Amino acid sequence: MNAEQMRFLLGYTAHQSSGLGAWNRDTDHIQKAFHFGGMTARSGVTSALVVQAGWTGVEDILSGKDNFFKHTTRMLIRQH
């Protein structure tokens, strides 16, 4: 792996571990596509695979304390 590839590797790793906003500096928009399309698609596939493998978790993420809708609504309100 050369130095340029190592810098790209560190960039993708940082995005996946911390949610940085540095993707907007990518003039080719490749990292933006990975961040907003690729990572979310991968997360959906991973979720399906782990549930199929028998993993358990919160039974109803759409209701109760700290549910998906409360979080999403809060995020939308903060953006406006």
Side-chain angles (χ1 to χ4, degrees):
M1 183 174 291
N2 63 40
E4 182 181 50
Q5 290 171 318
M6 183 57 78
R7 286 192 299 273
F8 291 151
L9 171 68
L10 291 172
Y12 280 100
T13 302
H15 279 285
Q16 292 179 80
S17 64
S18 64
L20 294 174
W23 55 264
N24 60 12
R25 297 189 335 229
D26 175 17
T27 57
D28 294 329
H29 305 289
I30 296 168
Q31 201 158 14
K32 179 181 179 181
F34 174 77
H35 190 70
F36 290 102
M39 285 175 44
T40 54
R42 181 192 60 210
S43 293
V45 171
T46 300
S47 297
L49 291 171
V50 299
V51 169
Q52 185 180 39
W55 290 27
T56 61
V58 175
E59 289 190 17
D60 186 0
I61 198 65
L62 303 179
S63 66
K65 185 182 177 200
D66 297 328
N67 69 66
F68 175 78
F69 293 120
K70 280 185 182 179
H71 173 74
T72 305
T73 303
R74 258 185 263 139
M75 296 301 288
L76 289 172
I77 290 170
R78 286 182 194 159
Q79 292 175 2
H80 287 70

